[in-house]
Amino acid sequence: MTIKLEIKNVSKKYDNGDGIQDINLEVQAGEILTLLGPSGCGKSTLLRSIGGFESVTEGSISIDNQDITTLPPEKRPTIMVFQGYNLWERMTVFENLEFGLKLRKIPKDERKNKIADMLEMLGISAMAQKYPQQLSGGQQQRVAIGRALVLEPEILLLDEPYSALDAKIRVQMREELKKIQQKLKITTIFVTHDQEEAMMLSTRIAVMKKGEIVQVGTPSEIYNSPADIYIASFIGQMNFLNQENRIIAFRPEDTEFVSVNENNSETFDGVIQSLTQMGHYTQLFVTVASETIILFGSKEVIEKYTVGSKIVFKITKKLSFEKEK
Amino acid sequence: MSRRKFILNFSILFIFTFFMYGPLLNTIMLAFATQYQAPHIIPSAFGFTWWKNVFSQGDLLQAFFNSFLIAILATIVSMIICLPAAYAIARYEFKGRSWFLFSFLLSNAFPKIGLYTAIGIIFYKLQLMGTLTGVVLINVLNTMIFMIWIPIGAFQNVYKQQEEAARDVGAGPIRTFFKITFPSALPAIIVAAMYTFLGALDESQGTLLVGFPQIKTMATSMYGIILDQSPMVGAIFAILLIVPAILILWICYKFLGKKSILQQLFVK
């Protein structure tokens, strides 16, 4: 594995105190790394710093061992797909893709071929002569990705590219992006606040909180061993139970329903508040002491239990965190 | 609608139309009159006699030419000075930004003649009195408000990310401005240029003070004509001034479309 992008001790402070602090990150060639976090956590600031749209206060950014910290966006080998696409509305789809190629002084015939191939790959060949306003959101999104990829950047930056699309198209676009990325092997940095999207797309995820990276790992590492309660609650469904001075956390699927309480620290009594058939599994809302948790059981569970009845369950896999003071 | 209301509405419309178009119609009528005596409303004879007279006066034709030269130069100079300023105001937050913007309104609220007197003193020192440069500068000053205010709105309407996207694919800041920002703001800039051009074409006070007697435009010549020559010459001159104005408005209308023009005038 070769390191494509190296971020060392990068900080960016805004006058209002927001920003990012002491970011260290290495991105491998050919991977999709997702910056995940709630809005205002600094993920977009970090991405814009990589793209050259924000000048960093401290630290260095290098691509292929070349320091690019002070270069303007036009001199960097990165291309960004913006939130809301930002196609140039006075240019046709073809011209949108051609603009960057022209600046790179690529001969006319070659430009035509490259653009035709790209539009073909994205399935929007018929749209070449249309203007962005005449396209649907999904099509505009494809053009925006095509405009970036046609320039064969070293690193593709995506800033919440699907936030303007409706749910169904979003899922479809994710699949497409993943396929294209696997085909082109292009190093990709993807910013999102949607944990599901991050889990689905990423080779690795960097979880951000208040301007810092709190954990970097593969989706399963992040899901199975979150570094703290914040990450645990942010990724996937997680239950928390207070136990003396600690908090134990477990996934709704990591439980077994048993008949007898063995009175150990893994087994709990609860009262069923609701039972819902979710298809191939049953979702139960259960109160333990005064806390409500969610459990998943097999689809047969709904026939064995009723609302209001007692349930005994054993946690098969749990995490334990110290209580935050 | 009741009869009474109808009569009332009609009278208001009639009075409004009369005040609006009456002077205009009278001017057109006078321009084609050969003989006219003050108390009469309708001239006693029509013809083109006075048109021949106007076109035979060499200095009037020179004024006609001057007017256009000054208007064109003023528009170009105004664009060169004001567009970068408008862009800066639209894009960057800086101390005193709103005060700076407001000051443009303020200079237009001043009684012009007072302003010109002060400018006159400076122009004398710089030896700009009676020169084309001086007259062009005065016209730029007068029309600056259009070239600043209208393009500011237009530049603000171009998303910053559109520019960032252009920088990202490899365009430098200047290329980005001319390829992305400028074309998007062009309709508004054309409207601003139209105002500047028409404003400069029509301007008389400043031009008279700074340019007299070396630089004469149609507008300044009007003063002399009204005092010395027959009213028909004045009317013909007014028409000569109004024709290019209507022509330019019509071209803008055709080129930009009705909707766009009204939008630039902040009419929804």
Side-chain angles (χ1 to χ4, degrees):
Chain A
M1 273 287 173
T2 47
I3 293 166
K4 192 82 194 172
L5 170 77
E6 195 176 16
I7 299 170
K8 272 188 194 160
N9 309 319
V10 162
S11 294
K12 165 79 193 175
K13 276 268 154 271
Y14 292 109
D15 293 338
N16 63 6
D18 285 355
I20 48 177
Q21 307 104 41
D22 201 27
I23 299 283
N24 285 287
L25 187 65
E26 283 176 359
V27 180
Q28 311 289 339
E31 77 171 331
I32 301 187
L33 182 118
T34 302
L35 300 173
L36 176 66
S39 61
C41 73
K43 56 192 190 305
S44 282
T45 306
L46 180 55
L47 193 78
R48 288 174 60 81
S49 303
I50 299 167
F53 301 108
E54 305 284 348
S55 55
V56 302
T57 334
E58 260 176 80
S60 70
I61 301 169
S62 40
I63 293 173
D64 292 326
N65 290 319
Q66 299 265 315
D67 191 335
I68 56 147
T69 317
T70 54
L71 293 182
E74 62 266 29
K75 300 247 167 69
R76 297 190 185 204
T78 57
I79 299 288
M80 179 130 124
V81 176
F82 293 84
Q83 205 170 357
Y85 334 129
N86 274 290
L87 300 173
W88 301 303
E89 49 198 48
R90 286 177 181 268
M91 299 185 194
T92 61
V93 168
F94 186 88
E95 286 164 345
N96 262 280
L97 266 69
E98 196 186 26
F99 188 62
L101 292 173
K102 262 189 186 167
L103 293 172
R104 280 163 180 70
K105 306 225 160 39
I106 288 166
K108 201 175 175 188
D109 291 339
E110 210 182 320
R111 289 203 302 257
K112 265 190 169 173
N113 289 336
K114 278 183 183 231
I115 295 167
D117 289 348
M118 185 54 64
L119 294 177
E120 175 80 46
M121 185 174 85
L122 295 164
I124 45 171
S125 300
M127 313 289 160
Q129 295 311 319
K130 290 200 171 171
Y131 285 90
Q133 307 88 286
Q134 298 169 292
L135 306 179
S136 71
Q139 288 165 341
Q140 288 189 39
Q141 177 59 52
R142 287 193 183 93
V143 177
I145 289 184
R147 184 173 74 180
L149 288 177
V150 83
L151 301 172
E152 296 162 16
E154 292 293 333
I155 299 176
L156 179 66
L157 308 173
L158 297 134
D159 188 6
E160 306 221 20
Y162 305 142
S163 56
L165 298 175
D166 56 54
K168 206 174 153 192
I169 298 171
R170 208 181 302 164
V171 173
Q172 192 188 333
M173 292 303 296
R174 272 181 216 156
E175 285 295 335
E176 271 179 38
L177 178 74
K178 201 161 184 180
K179 261 186 229 155
I180 291 168
Q181 198 272 342
Q182 275 161 3
K183 193 172 156 196
L184 302 178
K185 302 259 182 295
I186 183 170
T187 312
T188 306
I189 302 176
F190 191 97
V191 159
T192 185
H193 64 270
D194 182 342
Q195 49 103 3
E196 200 182 305
E197 194 163 80
M199 297 293 281
M200 196 173 150
L201 277 172
S202 318
T203 318
R204 288 190 305 148
I205 299 173
V207 185
M208 291 187 71
K209 178 191 180 183
K210 290 181 188 158
E212 284 173 82
I213 292 181
V214 283
Q215 190 177 8
V216 185
T218 63
S220 57
E221 278 168 8
I222 303 260
Y223 188 80
N224 292 322
S225 35
D228 62 20
I229 290 186
Y230 167 80
I231 301 165
S233 60
F234 195 71
I235 313 269
Q237 190 77 257
M238 185 67 97
N239 291 311
F240 297 99
L241 282 175
N242 280 300
Q243 239 182 10
E244 282 144 41
N245 54 356
R246 296 186 74 79
I247 292 170
I248 58 161
F250 59 98
R251 302 283 180 195
E253 68 271 22
D254 292 334
T255 51
E256 252 171 40
F257 304 138
V258 292
S259 45
V260 190
N261 194 333
E262 293 159 15
N263 282 321
N264 58 21
S265 61
E266 267 87 50
T267 320
F268 293 87
D269 286 344
V271 177
I272 297 173
Q273 297 300 317
S274 75
L275 280 159
T276 316
Q277 180 70 260
M278 303 295 281
H280 66 283
Y281 69 98
T282 309
Q283 180 179 282
L284 302 89
F285 278 89
V286 174
T287 44
V288 177
S290 60
E291 291 166 284
T292 302
I293 56 168
I294 298 171
L295 301 177
F296 296 157
S298 66
K299 63 180 177 191
E300 290 79 24
V301 164
I302 198 159
E303 285 142 31
K304 286 190 207 157
Y305 295 92
T306 51
V307 173
S309 66
K310 199 182 123 183
I311 188 167
V312 185
F313 63 93
K314 189 179 167 189
I315 299 168
T316 52
K317 204 174 138 219
K318 66 170 181 181
L319 296 157
S320 171
F321 299 106
E322 251 178 68
K323 267 190 191 167
E324 275 175 29
K325 275 144 207 157
Chain B
M1 201 191 287
S2 73
R3 202 184 156 84
R4 243 173 111 177
K5 209 170 170 190
F6 177 78
I7 291 170
L8 184 74
N9 281 354
F10 185 80
S11 322
I12 290 171
L13 180 72
F14 180 79
I15 292 167
F16 180 74
T17 319
F18 182 77
F19 274 95
M20 188 90 169
Y21 293 101
L24 202 66
L25 284 173
N26 190 49
T27 308
I28 293 169
M29 189 174 73
L30 276 185
F32 295 98
T34 319
Q35 264 185 358
Y36 173 70
Q37 212 55 52
H40 295 281
I41 294 171
I42 309 284
S44 44
F46 286 96
F48 287 92
T49 331
W50 287 104
W51 285 83
K52 282 179 204 138
N53 177 295
V54 166
F55 283 108
S56 64
Q57 297 187 35
D59 57 336
L60 291 188
L61 286 178
Q62 179 64 38
F64 188 79
F65 171 76
N66 279 350
S67 279
F68 278 89
L69 180 71
I70 288 162
I72 290 167
L73 285 176
T75 308
I76 293 169
V77 173
S78 183
M79 282 171 95
I80 294 169
I81 296 173
C82 298
L83 289 182
Y87 184 78
I89 295 169
R91 274 289 180 262
Y92 304 106
E93 280 293 330
F94 52 88
K95 264 195 181 155
R97 178 173 171 269
S98 49
W99 187 90
F100 184 65
L101 258 178
F102 184 68
S103 71
F104 282 97
L105 281 179
L106 211 64
S107 76
N108 272 263
F110 256 106
K112 279 275 154 61
I113 202 80
L115 211 62
Y116 293 146
T117 319
I119 290 169
I121 297 166
I122 300 168
F123 274 20
Y124 264 118
K125 281 189 184 147
L126 297 172
Q127 295 185 320
L128 286 171
M129 290 307 256
T131 63
L132 186 66
T133 321
V135 173
V136 169
L137 279 180
I138 273 285
N139 278 297
V140 168
L141 197 80
N142 264 323
T143 50
M144 243 179 183
I145 187 156
F146 301 127
M147 251 331 165
I148 298 256
W149 276 77
I150 297 172
I152 283 176
F155 286 139
Q156 278 173 338
N157 279 335
V158 181
Y159 286 114
K160 198 161 181 249
Q161 291 199 334
Q162 293 246 319
E163 293 176 0
E164 286 182 340
R167 292 291 298 275
D168 203 27
V169 302
I174 292 166
R175 195 193 295 268
T176 301
F177 178 80
F178 282 107
K179 289 275 180 184
I180 305 296
T181 320
F182 190 77
S184 296
L186 193 60
I189 292 170
I190 289 174
V191 169
M194 178 188 89
Y195 277 133
T196 308
F197 185 85
L198 294 180
L201 203 64
D202 202 35
E203 210 284 332
S204 55
Q205 277 186 24
T207 312
L208 194 66
L209 267 162
V210 174
F212 194 78
Q214 287 92 334
I215 310 283
K216 273 188 191 162
T217 64
M218 288 174 79
T220 60
S221 301
M222 283 294 248
Y223 282 95
I225 290 164
I226 290 163
L227 292 174
D228 304 336
Q229 302 202 21
S230 97
M232 277 71 103
V233 178
I236 289 168
F237 240 66
I239 284 177
L240 286 180
L241 263 172
I242 209 176
V243 164
I246 289 174
L247 210 68
I248 285 167
L249 277 169
W250 183 77
I251 290 169
C252 285
Y253 192 84
K254 278 277 153 191
F255 180 73
L256 297 168
K258 179 176 155 199
K259 209 177 139 210
S260 188
I261 274 219
L262 290 180
Q263 264 172 8
Q264 304 309 335
L265 295 170
F266 310 107
V267 180
K268 287 273 175 245

